[in-house]
Amino acid sequence: MLEIRNLHAEIDGKKILNGLNLTVRAGEVAAIMGPNGSGKSTLSYVIAGRPDYEVTAGEVLLNGVNLLEMAPDVRAAAGLFLAFQYPLEIPGVATMTFLKAAMNAQRKQRGEAELATPDFIKLVRAQAKALKIDPEMLKRPLNVGFSGGEKKRMEILQMALLAPKFGILDETDSGLDIDALKIVAEGVNALRSPQRGFLVITHYQRLLDYIKPDTVLVMSKGEIVKSGGPELALELEKSGYKDYVGEAA
Amino acid sequence: MNLILSRPKTEAEAGLAAQFEALGGLNAARRAAFAQFAEAGLPNKRVEAWHFTDLRGAMDTALPLAGDAAGPVGKPESLMPGACVIALVDGRYSPAHSDDLPAHVALCTDTGPMATKDSVLALNHAFAAHPLHLEIAAGCAVDQPIHIAHLISQGQPKALFARVAVTVGAGAQVCLVESASGMAGPHQINLALELTLGADAKCSHIADFAAANSVLVNSLSARLGGQADLHSFAMLSGGALLRRQMFVALEGEGGNVTLNGVQLGRGEEHIDTSLVVAHMAGHGVSRETFRTILDGEATGVYQGKVVVHPHAQKTDGKMMSKAVLLSDHAVMDNKPELEIFADDVVCGHGATVGALDEDQIFYCAARGIAKPEAEGLLLQAFADELIEALPDAAAIPHMSQRVADWLRTRKDVAQ
Ligand SMILES: Nc1ncnc2c1ncn2[C@@H]1O[C@H](COP(=O)(O)OP(=O)(O)OP(=O)(O)O)[C@@H](O)[C@H]1O
Ligand SMILES: [Mg+2]
């Protein structure tokens, strides 16, 4: 489903991704762990198409289609979703307005009709309830003044509404309290399906207790240096990255 | 009168002088006003208050004076539902295009002199042949908004001078709407509104100026009595040159003035908001907040001066101008100034100019919202933040729609 081959990317002349290879099959969840600064967010941004990164080599294929040739909004409409490590504040734009704009923009790109407002509202209400998001919050400008945890929950709400083919979660667990972590994990698990894949970036094995990964990948210095099953996360929790960071140097 | 000009008159200045002579038999006040104009001439960037706006350069000639509604006249756009329209066609009150006045509002044509230092306002006083004066009776709240609609009859490009004075009696309340529509010419338009607010009077003023390809200068002069409250908002768009200038004096204790506005410029348009707020008595509050969006090669100006006189203790003044540039060729000139002669005051100002935040646009894109739509969303929100602060909620949809229309036509305009 998602295939990354020999991906090289840099920002401001600094090489961050150095020939990264990675495959996530449909229906699977791959977890990426790795030290600070190893390039995990960079990878997620490059997949999503953030303009400041320059891809110097490689391919990113979603169901066989090269994402790198598409504008970021086209990638989203093609079914890619990135839950940001640091969700942006969008001043003055009510959350509801933003959600509707996003859903309809994607539908338009796919040649589908706009959602009728009552249907839209019903959909948002139901998802917000499942994620225990206060409906009052949906009237506020998106993410403005939201707490760290509220922002993360809002990312998952967006993912649930946009129902992507492939979701990337960049440290969605950081900033969440214990209860919120469970709620968010349930939200993600509800979206798991044989057609959908996920890349879950995290520093903590705890998240993976709730969202059970099929593979765990270790990233260091812009490369995947180790892959294994869920037990790898437990092992990393105990012994850290010292065994892996050296290998990539 | 002997005037020794250190420079020859421009063609436009000479034309204005000839037109004024031809009017003949005018009263002393109008002749004095013209003399004041003639001495200064059309302002250019050497005049401090016009430092960023060259009216002299923008007026090649003096266009023929708008006469008695020679051509057909359009209908004023409805800005606020249920407003009482008072139409001025080619600068003259036209009952045929107007509604009946609401209770407590009286009309008289005698406009007392209001002194000005501005030569363009003096020019208005000299040429405005039919000033209109409205009086709101003391202690009365006018329940219908009063919409002063400036209309121009179709036909050749012309010069339009219109002057309106509104006296709001002590304790009275009124909502004034002011608009200039159908201004595609290119015309030369000079509009003046003079507000006198008695003690405890309250006036909300909502203006909409779409200058199209014309040169339009609009002057708002206001004097506030004790505890009087003025809230003025203006939407400015278009204009070979569009300038809104405001001269506000808080003469009584505890006056409260809010001056807000949104400026939308594209192509080679030049849009200027300049204001002087004078705190002449204590405990006054002034707030000036402006939002400007510029595309293409447009120029925007915000020049604001808050003057606190020595007796105006406990003055509270804040100015803020924010501009978003959508193109590398657009220019915003910000010049907020404070002149404080009292010691116990709280005053501040700020100004920002920048592009839209690329990270926010990427975030929108990552949700499927393409760049033009994302920009539209962010810009609408930028303007709406001020529009939604309008005390008269009924005017919000129109103003918000003005921004939406401008944004929608953005991509149609060749930059
Ligand atoms: N504009 C930039 N110029 C130079 N270096 C940059 C720039 N942006 C990011 N980097 C560097 O790229 C590297 C990778 O950053 P990235 O955010 O991808 O790491 P990460 O693995 O997500 O880390 P964390 O676990 O802390 O979130 C870091 O060393 C960072 O300093
Ligand atoms: Mg990161």
Side-chain angles (χ1 to χ4, degrees):
Chain A
M1 139 147 264
L2 183 78
E3 242 195 293
I4 300 177
R5 293 189 196 132
N6 187 35
L7 186 61
H8 289 259
E10 53 187 63
I11 183 161
D12 298 335
K14 189 178 166 195
K15 292 193 169 73
I16 313 284
L17 301 183
N18 302 299
L20 185 136
N21 293 292
L22 158 72
T23 303
V24 184
R25 275 185 288 276
E28 288 193 355
V29 172
I32 295 193
M33 304 182 82
N36 295 133
S38 55
K40 304 179 298 296
S41 293
T42 301
L43 173 64
S44 68
Y45 286 142
V46 168
I47 300 172
R50 192 167 136 164
D52 6 5
Y53 293 93
E54 196 192 341
V55 177
T56 49
E59 288 181 316
V60 177
L61 305 171
L62 180 63
N63 293 333
V65 184
N66 191 356
L67 291 180
L68 299 181
E69 284 158 13
M70 302 176 181
D73 54 297
V74 182
R75 297 181 199 194
L80 180 76
F81 183 89
L82 166 62
F84 284 56
Q85 181 175 2
Y86 305 108
L88 273 288
E89 299 189 352
I90 309 291
V93 181
T95 302
M96 274 301 220
T97 308
F98 183 88
L99 295 174
K100 196 163 178 221
M103 289 179 79
N104 282 330
Q106 294 204 10
R107 295 175 74 93
K108 195 172 154 196
Q109 286 209 38
R110 296 193 293 253
E112 298 164 17
E114 283 204 353
L115 265 180
T117 305
D119 295 342
F120 164 75
I121 292 175
K122 242 188 250 161
L123 219 68
V124 177
R125 290 248 169 88
Q127 295 291 358
K129 199 171 165 203
L131 289 163
K132 297 218 163 63
I133 292 172
D134 181 357
E136 280 302 306
M137 231 164 84
L138 301 170
K139 295 179 189 160
R140 284 164 55 187
L142 181 64
N143 292 333
V144 178
F146 289 15
S147 75
E150 287 169 344
K151 286 181 185 173
K152 295 303 179 74
R153 244 184 278 190
M154 197 55 78
E155 293 292 283
I156 301 306
L157 173 68
Q158 294 182 48
M159 182 165 78
L161 290 171
L162 294 168
K165 292 182 181 142
F166 195 90
I168 303 171
L169 310 180
D170 190 357
E171 291 195 32
T172 300
D173 53 337
S174 55
L176 291 177
D177 65 46
I178 300 157
D179 297 330
L181 183 67
K182 275 188 213 166
I183 293 166
V184 161
E186 277 163 23
V188 176
N189 287 331
L191 288 169
R192 288 182 77 162
S193 87
Q195 287 79 40
R196 207 172 257 142
F198 290 93
L199 196 59
V200 177
I201 298 169
T202 183
H203 285 297
Y204 305 107
Q205 129 67 25
R206 176 190 276 276
L207 176 71
L208 305 180
D209 284 341
Y210 298 114
I211 304 175
K212 296 241 165 7
D214 298 284
T215 48
V216 174
L217 308 168
V218 179
M219 184 160 175
S220 172
K221 297 181 182 158
E223 284 183 79
I224 300 298
V225 293
K226 171 87 183 169
S227 70
E231 71 289 347
L232 179 56
L234 292 164
E235 188 192 315
L236 289 170
E237 186 95 338
K238 271 197 228 107
S239 49
Y241 295 114
K242 59 181 187 309
D243 296 344
Y244 304 105
V245 290
E247 291 173 28
Chain B
M1 180 172 291
N2 271 332
L3 289 171
I4 300 150
L5 289 175
S6 57
R7 60 175 178 86
K9 287 192 178 91
T10 66
E11 192 185 326
E13 287 163 346
L16 286 165
Q19 284 173 338
F20 191 77
E21 285 306 312
L23 291 175
L26 301 177
N27 65 33
R30 285 178 67 186
R31 278 185 310 198
F34 190 78
Q36 185 190 344
F37 164 75
E39 192 173 339
L42 288 166
N44 69 356
K45 297 187 176 192
R46 295 221 191 113
V47 178
E48 197 199 335
W50 288 78
H51 186 66
F52 301 102
T53 296
D54 182 5
L55 184 63
R56 193 181 295 170
M59 280 178 61
D60 301 335
T61 56
L63 292 172
L65 296 175
D68 297 314
V73 178
K75 261 186 77 75
E77 204 180 343
S78 165
L79 241 127
M80 257 173 105
C84 163
V85 173
I86 298 188
L88 277 83
V89 179
D90 291 347
R92 185 174 195 163
Y93 170 53
S94 168
H97 297 88
S98 302
D99 297 327
D100 295 335
L101 284 176
H104 315 306
V105 182
L107 214 137
C108 50
T109 44
D110 170 45
T111 307
M114 208 182 222
T116 179
K117 286 184 195 142
D118 184 77
S119 69
V120 182
L121 189 47
L123 186 68
N124 174 284
H125 292 174
F127 273 98
H130 308 284
L132 178 75
H133 190 173
L134 296 176
E135 273 177 349
I136 319 293
C140 296
V142 183
D143 50 10
Q144 216 182 342
I146 297 176
H147 180 172
I148 299 161
H150 293 286
L151 301 170
I152 195 159
S153 61
Q154 285 162 31
Q156 293 301 305
K158 51 199 151 205
L160 170 70
F161 293 92
R163 182 176 177 196
V164 177
V166 179
T167 305
V168 187
Q173 287 187 24
V174 68
C175 169
L176 285 179
V177 179
E178 192 186 7
S179 72
S181 47
M183 292 294 159
H187 302 298
Q188 291 166 350
I189 301 159
N190 186 328
L191 309 173
L193 175 63
E194 287 151 30
L195 296 176
T196 308
L197 272 60
D200 298 306
K202 200 168 175 171
C203 175
S204 151
H205 171 239
I206 301 162
D208 185 356
F209 297 109
N213 56 350
S214 293
V215 170
L216 192 159
V217 179
N218 160 259
S219 307
L220 170 67
S221 314
R223 300 169 57 186
L224 277 70
Q227 313 290 331
D229 187 312
L230 170 65
H231 187 293
S232 175
F233 173 92
M235 175 67 64
L236 306 182
S237 73
L241 184 156
L242 169 56
R243 168 158 158 131
R244 179 177 193 233
Q245 48 179 2
M246 287 167 275
F247 309 98
V248 178
L250 293 137
E251 296 178 352
E253 288 259 321
N256 195 326
V257 64
T258 302
L259 305 174
N260 288 353
V262 171
Q263 314 192 92
L264 307 171
R266 59 163 57 124
E268 291 176 6
E269 292 162 359
H270 180 104
I271 308 185
D272 169 341
T273 291
S274 291
L275 61 89
V276 181
V277 171
H279 285 266
M280 303 167 76
H283 300 274
V285 179
S286 62
R287 294 283 180 272
E288 298 80 24
T289 314
F290 291 85
R291 298 266 160 114
T292 303
I293 304 173
L294 300 171
D295 204 350
E297 291 161 41
T299 306
V301 178
Y302 172 71
Q303 210 182 352
K305 188 190 275 191
V306 172
V307 185
V308 182
H309 289 242
H311 300 300
Q313 299 296 358
K314 304 283 181 196
T315 287
D316 172 356
K318 279 193 188 69
M319 259 191 285
M320 189 61 176
S321 162
K322 288 188 184 175
V324 173
L325 306 183
L326 300 173
S327 125
D328 293 341
H329 305 288
V331 177
M332 180 72 195
D333 294 307
N334 268 315
K335 192 182 174 201
E337 273 180 286
L338 299 170
E339 279 180 12
I340 302 177
F341 302 101
D343 44 29
D344 186 10
V345 302
V346 183
C347 286
H349 64 73
T352 63
V353 183
L356 282 175
D357 184 319
E358 284 300 326
D359 290 341
Q360 288 175 353
I361 289 173
F362 170 64
Y363 185 80
C364 293
R367 300 294 175 254
I369 305 169
K371 190 167 179 177
E373 281 76 41
E375 289 179 342
L377 208 58
L378 297 174
L379 292 169
Q380 181 80 49
F382 176 71
D384 276 351
E385 257 183 283
L386 264 194
I387 293 171
E388 279 160 11
L390 273 168
D392 305 277
I396 294 173
H398 170 87
M399 291 301 177
S400 200
Q401 191 58 45
R402 279 275 275 121
V403 178
D405 290 343
W406 189 87
L407 291 170
R408 191 167 38 74
T409 52
R410 215 187 121 202
K411 21 192 186 301
D412 310 341
V413 178
Q415 299 297 339

